[in-house]
């Protein structure tokens, strides 16, 4: 199997080498072109693409043009291996290129080629500093060739952000690209969107972003606009409403509606003029929930109170479902009814993982110094292959076996002695640590020995890049957490080559071999000399948790004296095996998160496509007809009396009262009844349209979007609770993912029904308002949003399912249900 992989890589490199030769053959002819002729090639390429040529057809010429433009503008000429890396990126591969091989320059080739399509091309990097640096550094190449380039920064305002996305090429952090996608799906005007699709992206430091950070979803949240007192207030108010007099209930559908008398009572108690003014949506919502809590949810039947918490009872099995919560604020309404503590949290408005965000691109590629060890994960999650590109110069760095000490104390003493020894001869030392705490311990010890040094722990990116760039100077001692300074090259100072180059000293093996390889790869760039070694102890986490005790006993049996290290290839292999075990565990966790979020991704796509459709329309009549028909079908379906084998027309008439329609139903067949109800609703809808005049569509748009957003937020809350709950099902021999799929589909189906019901209810009763007021209400809530990239815990289980790239390019539809078939 291994030989197959090696051969695959070899055959790809052979193919790329042939294309690189073609590019080289064009070099002299490109050099002979004037500036005007060379930059004019862009227009020529665009025309050729319009006439039917493919990007692959023009690749050799386009790459030759970029190489020459780069030579003229920034004085850098692409090596052959860089051309090969560029071809791999264009093909949607993850390219492994060692540190110092010029990945920033490599990216200009596929970026230029793909930007010729006129579609958006993104380069996602690790931090704002690198996004700005690389865009400014490579910008002259693109601009010389007539393409525009922009970059995104965290605190950029909307107009500048939009301008950056309008450019042919956009640099930015993975975080900002993801957050902008989520923000774009919270807007109330299509013109407020900043992104323009997802065509081609290159992810720099792909292993870090697509793998290490894949467990941490992007979350847009905001403070809950419902203080617990409001739930308590409505729990108290609800007791004053009388069934049949102030509201009617439908036990089959678990719905209820206020009567005219009930509406008047609510307006009086709440001191509002009109309960159905859009600005009073939340009051109506809380009142109905408080009434549902009283009428439909009974203590010790539907839920119990345990340790001051409302715990749901499964209606089918009678088992408790700890961790599960009723959705759409209903759980809080029950907590208020029972007088227990109301769980107040920030509200999640939108969330997505990097895994699903980057899979949206039609073509995803990435570059990093270390990717081969994670090839299975890249393939399973992103459907991308890894290609290892050879270095321009052979690597002559010497990588020594690990030195292993019995205790941490001995390890640290040896580390300090080694640093002092190298420093005295002037050799620069880069010390890699796995935590800020460890880096500070070493720093304190070095201070006592009088060794001047810099400490880097990934807090200040611009200062970080400056420090890491100086790490190759004579006598430099730099202590860095393993991730610090990624993306910045360490060049050797004068006379350092003669001293043996940069010495990299690892103070602890990381859980991932890839992170260790990143650290080692800092030394020996571009054929420079260098050396690396790890000095570790049996008290380090990786060894302590995975086999350290056995090795420690071995040291004791061998009577190894204090301060005496062991150095052996066999021990290094044991450590690598331990790392492989841990990598496997982390992959399982990320795979599980991906499986959960992929279910959510389908639902998110449906909702976001539906929002887009609403934003783009000027007239909603056809869409409202579809909604009415869905609601009508459910009203009729639930009115069927199976014992009598006929439709209960009196219950339908009662139901219609909630839409302020008083009418006796005359039809007998299902079709007749459905048409009759539809006509009654449509007549009232037309009356409301006329009442509003030309403002109706604008107000209808804001009402529909607000209802969708409100329901979606509560749905996200329910989904989070469901994730926690299904984790416990594995103890009952049930697959948590399958359980999650089934239940989340049902929750989504219920949410869509609820959206449709609420839209109809609202349109039938909506009060005349100034559209600007409704717009203000709709947008107000987004003023206090937080943007978080936090750790998440998921069920830790393995799964063998295959992933594939999901472009999410399904056509937008005005019907949510057409787009999403629920598996019941």
């Amino acid at each position: 199997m291994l030989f197959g992989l090696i051969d695959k890589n070899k055959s790809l490199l052979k193919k790329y080498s042939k294309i690189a030769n073609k590019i080289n053959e064009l070099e002299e002819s490109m050099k002979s072109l004037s500036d005007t002729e060379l930059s004019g090639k862009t227009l020529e390429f665009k025309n050729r693409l319009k006439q039917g040529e493919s990007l692959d057809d023009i690749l050799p010429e386009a790459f030759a043009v970029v190489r020459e433009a780069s030579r003229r503008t920034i004085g850098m000429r692409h090596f052959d291996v860089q051309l090969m890396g560029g071809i791999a990126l264009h093909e949607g591969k993850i390219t492994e290129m060692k540190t110092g091989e010029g990945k920033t320059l490599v990216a200009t080739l596929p970026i230029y080629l793909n930007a010729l399509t006129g579609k958006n091309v993104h380069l996602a990097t690790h931090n704002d500093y690198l996004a700005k640096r690389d865009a400014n550094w490579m910008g002259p190449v693109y601009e010389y060739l007539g393409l525009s380039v922009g970059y995104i920064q965290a605190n950029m305002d909307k107009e500048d952000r939009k301008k950056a996305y309008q450019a042919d090429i956009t640099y930015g952090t993975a975080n900002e690209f993801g957050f902008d996608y989520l923000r774009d799906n919270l807007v109330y005007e299509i013109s407020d969107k900043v992104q323009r699709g997802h065509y081609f992206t290159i992810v720099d430091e792909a292993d870090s972003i697509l793998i290490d950070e894949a467990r941490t979803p992007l979350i847009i949240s905001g403070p809950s606009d419902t203080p617990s007192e409001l739930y308590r207030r409505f729990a108290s108010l609800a007791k004053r409403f009388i069934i049949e007099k102030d509201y009617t209930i439908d036990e089959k559908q678990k719905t209820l509606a206020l009567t005219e008398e009930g509406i008047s009572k609510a307006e009086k108690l709440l001191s509002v003029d009109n309960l159905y003014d859009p600005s009073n949506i939340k009051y109506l919502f809380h009142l109905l929930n408080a009434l549902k809590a009283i009428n439909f949810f009974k203590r010790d039947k539907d839920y119990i109170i345990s340790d001051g918490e409302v715990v749901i009872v499964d209606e089918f099995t009678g088992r408790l479902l700890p961790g599960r919560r009723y959705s759409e604020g209903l759980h809080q309404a029950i907590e208020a009814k029972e007088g227990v503590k109301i769980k107040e949290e920030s509200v999640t408005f939108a969330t997505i993982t990097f895994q699903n965000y980057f899979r949206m691109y039609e073509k995803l590629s990435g570059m990093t110094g270390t990717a081969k060890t994670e090839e299975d994960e890249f393939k399973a999650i992103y459907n991308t292959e890894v290609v290892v590109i050879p270095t321009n110069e052979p690597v002559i760095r010497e990588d020594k076996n690990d030195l292993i000490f019995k205790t941490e104390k001995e390890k640290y003493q040896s580390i300090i002695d080694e640093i002092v020894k190298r420093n005295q001869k002037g050799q620069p030392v880069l010390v890699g640590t796995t935590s800020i705490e460890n880096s500070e311990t070493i720093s304190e010890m070095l201070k006592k020995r009088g060794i001047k040094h810099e400490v880097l722990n990934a807090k200040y990116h611009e200062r970080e890049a400056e420090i890491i760039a100086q790490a190759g100077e004579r006598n430099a001692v730099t202590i860095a957490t393993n991730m610090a300074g990624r993306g910045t090259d360490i060049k050797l100072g004068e006379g350092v080559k003669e001293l043996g180059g940069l010495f990299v000293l690892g103070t602890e093996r990381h859980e991932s071999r890839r992170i260790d390889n990143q650290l080692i790869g800092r030394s020996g760039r571009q054929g420079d000399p260098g050396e690396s070694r790890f000095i570790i102890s049996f008290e380090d986490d990786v060894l302590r948790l995975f086999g350290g005790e056995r090795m420690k006993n071995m040291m004791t049996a061998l009577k190894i004296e204090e301060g005496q290290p062991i150095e052996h290839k066999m021990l290094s292999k044991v450590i690598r095996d331990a790392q492989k075990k841990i990598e496997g565990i982390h992959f399982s966790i990320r795979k599980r998160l991906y499986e959960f979020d992929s279910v959510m991704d389908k639902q998110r796509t449906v909702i976001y496509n539906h929002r887009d459709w609403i934003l783009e329309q000027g007239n909603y009549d056809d869409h409202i007809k579809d909604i009415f028909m869905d609601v009508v079908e459910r009203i009729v379906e639930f009115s069927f009396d199976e014992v009598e084998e006929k439709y209960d027309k009196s219950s339908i008439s009662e139901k219609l009262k909630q839409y302020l329609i008083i009418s006796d139903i005359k039809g007998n067949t299902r079709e007749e009844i459905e048409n009759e109800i539809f006509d009654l609703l449509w007549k009232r809808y037309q009356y409301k349209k006329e009442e509003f005049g030309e403002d109706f569509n604008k107000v209808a748009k804001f009402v529909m979007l607000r209802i969708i957003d409100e329901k979606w937020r509560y749905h996200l809350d329910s989904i989070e609770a469901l994730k926690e709950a299904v984790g416990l099902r594995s103890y009952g021999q049930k697959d948590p993912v399958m359980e999650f799929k089934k239940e989340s589909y049902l929750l989504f189906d219920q949410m869509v029904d609820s959206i449709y019901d609420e839209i109809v209810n609202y349109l039938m009763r909506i009060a005349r308002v100034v559209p600007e007021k409704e717009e203000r209400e709709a947008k107000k809530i987004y003023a206090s949003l937080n943007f978080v990239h936090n750790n998440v815990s998921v069920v830790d289980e393995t799964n063998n399912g295959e992933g594939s790239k999901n472009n999410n390019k399904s056509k937008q539809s005005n019907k949510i249900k057409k787009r999403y078939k629920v598996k019941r």
Side-chain angles (χ1 to χ4, degrees), residues 604-615 623 627 704-705 708 755-756 759 812-816:
R604 179 171 40 238
T605 304
V606 171
I607 291 293
Y608 287 176
N609 281 351
H610 187 62
R611 272 187 115 265
D612 283 348
W613 184 88
I614 290 172
L615 287 171
H623 178 42
I627 290 177
M704 285 193 287
L705 289 175
I708 289 166
I755 287 172
Y756 284 179
I759 287 172
Q812 292 170 9
S813 164
N814 62 329
K815 286 188 186 178
I816 304 179

Side-chain angles (χ1 to χ4, degrees), residues 28-46:
E28 289 309 313
S29 63
M30 291 303 167
K31 279 183 178 174
S32 67
L33 297 176
S34 67
D35 284 351
T36 308
E37 287 169 329
L38 188 64
S39 60
K41 281 284 182 183
T42 297
L43 191 58
E44 180 199 313
F45 291 145
K46 285 183 175 182

